Amino acid sequence: MKSVFAFILILTSFFSLNAQTFNTSADIVNRYVWRGMMINSAPNIQPSIGFNYNGFDASLWGSYSFDRTEAFSEEIDIVLGYSFGLPGSGSFGITLVDYYFPNAGFKFGDFDDNGDGGHTIEGIASYNGPENFPVSFLAGVNFYNDKGNNIYFEAGYNLRVKDTDLKLFAGATTGSEKNPAYYGAEDFSVINVGFGLTRKLKITQEFSLPLFANWILNPRSEQSYIVFGFTI
């Protein structure tokens, strides 16, 4: 009950802010791959709406598969975060993500913390380096509704090659014996290695379409994916 009350307070604060701070976008992707795992293989539309206010971020992010017969074909995440920068030292961030799958048989108000509830909440700490040290680090732990309290780490390196942004990344999990299905691992495993390219396709003098493509390898499952998409 306390979790439900806290969630209502968060939503109330979210919608009470000035609407001029809101922004929205959507990605169209050929398949949905997350942290080296394919969530579903059909094309997905992934809309988001959110705002930023003095370093505080709040957003709603969703993913909807074109094939609703697939498992996990719908997802809605609530994302709350705060980030701050230090001159010449990059930026640091703390984020909470509430993962919810509407078509998994759970009601939105099911906030049970027994491993079988409708919402899993992850806490994430992140760092993004300055231009002269273009690295990124991320560490996340499921602290709510995950019996295994699964942990994920990721490191990245960013490059700019002419008009294309290139990111190299590698991610791993400590694994979990209590809930190995979450990342497909019972012990420490590298599950997400690859690179991503992002560039803008000029459509008109005033409009460009952001395109992105990622090659992803999951050494644990020995599966590889190419994800292509664009942002509108």
Side-chain angles (χ1 to χ4, degrees), residues 1 6 23 26 39 44 49 58 64 71 104 116 135 137 153 159 185 187:
M1 188 65 184
N23 56 77
I39 307 302
N44 278 243
I49 180 172
Y64 297 89
D116 298 315
V135 300
F137 299 100
F153 303 96
L159 296 169
D187 50 21

Side-chain angles (χ1 to χ4, degrees), residues 1-191:
M1 188 65 184
K2 291 182 179 180
S3 299
V4 176
F5 181 71
F7 182 74
I8 292 173
L9 286 179
I10 291 172
L11 284 184
T12 301
S13 300
F14 181 89
F15 288 109
S16 66
L17 293 180
N18 191 326
Q20 293 180 352
T21 63
F22 280 79
N23 56 77
T24 183
S25 65
D27 292 337
I28 310 294
V29 294
N30 65 315
R31 60 181 56 194
Y32 179 15
V33 179
W34 177 75
R35 295 181 180 176
M37 300 179 297
M38 187 167 65
I39 307 302
N40 62 71
S41 61
N44 278 243
I45 181 170
Q46 299 176 333
S48 67
I49 180 172
F51 67 84
N52 176 276
Y53 182 77
N54 288 342
F56 289 94
D57 293 280
S59 63
L60 298 170
W61 182 91
S63 189
Y64 297 89
S65 173
F66 285 30
D67 183 359
R68 296 192 62 187
T69 64
E70 290 206 39
F72 303 107
S73 63
E74 296 182 8
E75 178 179 349
I76 298 176
D77 299 341
I78 301 171
V79 184
L80 301 173
Y82 176 72
S83 62
F84 62 94
L86 297 176
S89 300
S91 61
F92 301 83
I94 299 175
T95 307
L96 296 178
V97 184
D98 179 331
Y99 301 96
Y100 171 65
F101 295 89
N103 65 334
F106 299 102
K107 294 183 178 180
F108 185 80
D110 182 358
F111 280 89
D112 289 342
D113 184 20
N114 58 6
D116 298 315
H119 298 259
T120 299
I121 302 178
E122 179 185 31
I124 299 172
S126 60
Y127 168 77
N128 289 286
E131 289 187 8
N132 61 351
F133 187 58
V135 300
S136 60
F137 299 100
L138 176 152
V141 56
N142 292 343
F143 65 89
Y144 189 89
N145 195 39
D146 178 358
K147 293 179 179 179
N149 296 120
N150 278 272
I151 297 174
Y152 177 79
F153 303 96
E154 185 174 299
Y157 185 78
N158 302 295
L159 296 169
R160 178 76 176 178
V161 182
K162 293 185 178 180
D163 57 351
T164 301
D165 292 319
L166 168 64
K167 181 176 182 178
L168 310 175
F169 57 87
T173 178
T174 57
S176 170
E177 293 184 355
K178 293 183 178 180
N179 187 13
Y182 197 86
Y183 286 120
E186 295 183 358
D187 50 21
F188 180 86
S189 302
V190 178
I191 60 172

